[in-house]
Amino acid sequence: MTAVQADRNDATVGHTAAAAIDVGSDGSGGAAIDRRGGQGQSGTGDGAGRGEFDLIRRFFDRGPVRDALLGIGDDCALLAPRDPRSVLAVSTDLLLEGRHFAAGIDPVAIGHKSLAVNLSDLAAIGALPRAFTLALALPQYDEAWLSGFCTGLFALADRHRCELIGGDTTRGPRTICITVFGEVPAATALRRDGAQPGDDLWVSGTLGAAARAVEERARAVGEHARAVEEHAGVVDERTRAVEGRASVVDERARASAGQAVPSDPAGAARLDYPQPRIELGLALRHLARSAIDLSDGLLGDLAHITERSRVGAEVDWPSVPADPCLGDLPGNEQRRLALAGGDDYELLFSAAPENRTAIAAIGARLALPLTRIGRIVDGSTVRVLDARGRPLPMTIAGYDHFGTG
Ligand code: ADP
Ligand code: MG
């Protein structure tokens, strides 16, 4: 996750991570989860079988590994490429509660998304997913949360035959760090530095739905939090609450605020359940010259390709597949969300014009819209053009400079 995304999600959450953390009664935020058993858990409190290793066994160890040579339970996992000509593709993403997701977000969605963003990186480089590791910090042994998290995580993992082979577990502010391992023949890896002037620029799917859901959720959380804070203030005054009371109320308020539902459920689904474009990445291995996955918005991510490839680019705004859910917004808002919103997790790629038919056939086979939105050019600038080929006044960083159209 990048700083851009983190800042945006900060706004969504509207509070710092530290405020929402229960480090357990010993206050040792970094200590291992309950090697002594029972401490800090919600529930029966009998202390039996609630330790770190029990947690790993119950939730994460799913028996003998199918694909790797050695998995959970040893000091290292062992993994061999299936194809000896392939190399390992490795990527890591860190998700922190209060920064990348709000307290109170459905754990099923968190499980899905924390793996999905990693798989999306494998898709972008054209790698076949093989395995992943999971480093997890949790404030307490919360069975309901863990079971939801595992539901989302393993449903996606199984769909892509990506196996959990190890990890680390500790007590602390809720944090999820996944590292994925894929494999790809080195010669056909879809890197960011391969774009050439004359290439077509393509994008998969539609853009902007998740960004709109982020903003709607932020608005809903803001309104909800304001109402709850007013209420909490009243409660506080009436009871002259003992120390800590206010923060308990606060935490509950935040938890429910995280569940505030945006008005467009399809947009919320795009935000919470992004679908990594693995099959597309694999199919593009011999066709695309460069690729990137869209996590921070099309223009910002396109700039990564143009910088690394030392080229410029032109995007034809009328060709950009803005999500239909943006249809009720003014043109400049649609452009802002489709071009500079984030969390799309679609693939942006460049390819020689002679591959147009083959690429269209892939879109048809995968039932995934693939749209030609512009071209790679000489130079170093990225321009967005209107229907008559005139540059639209916008800058990548300029959320506020999207013109008046
Ligand atoms: P070590 O002390 O050697 O690092 P640990 O005691 O941390 O090992 O973990 C024991 C085993 O459980 C290791 O094989 C590790 O990879 C695995 N493991 C720990 N936490 C997780 C997790 N959250 N998900 C999957 N595997 C885990
Ligand atoms: Mg360890």
Side-chain angles (χ1 to χ4, degrees), residues 292-383:
I292 190 169
D293 68 318
L294 296 181
S295 52
D296 298 329
L298 185 136
L299 292 183
D301 289 322
L302 174 55
H304 293 310
I305 287 187
T306 57
E307 277 161 25
R308 296 292 297 269
S309 301
R310 297 172 185 278
V311 294
E314 290 173 350
V315 173
D316 304 320
W317 164 245
S319 304
V320 172
D323 194 275
C325 81
L326 307 184
D328 61 323
L329 297 173
N332 59 338
E333 278 290 284
Q334 291 192 27
R335 283 209 294 280
R336 182 176 67 77
L337 291 166
L339 297 178
D343 278 303
D344 291 311
Y345 295 102
E346 296 293 347
L347 293 191
L348 173 71
F349 56 98
S350 83
E354 56 262 32
N355 291 335
R356 280 179 194 174
T357 316
I359 290 169
I362 290 167
R365 175 167 66 80
L366 299 177
L368 177 64
L370 299 180
T371 313
R372 203 146 46 79
I373 58 165
R375 63 208 64 80
I376 299 293
V377 297
D378 285 314
S380 60
T381 45
V382 173
R383 299 193 306 163

Side-chain angles (χ1 to χ4, degrees), residues 52-53 56 60 71-75 134 136 164 166-169:
E52 170 190 351
F53 299 110
I56 296 165
F60 297 119
I72 292 173
D74 218 302
D75 288 311
L134 168 68
L136 191 64
L164 180 60
D168 204 14
T169 306

Side-chain angles (χ1 to χ4, degrees), residues 178-201:
I178 286 181
T179 300
V180 279
F181 303 87
E183 66 178 85
V184 61
T188 54
L190 305 174
R191 300 159 53 128
R192 296 178 178 182
D193 62 4
Q196 293 177 21
D199 279 3
D200 294 325
L201 201 53

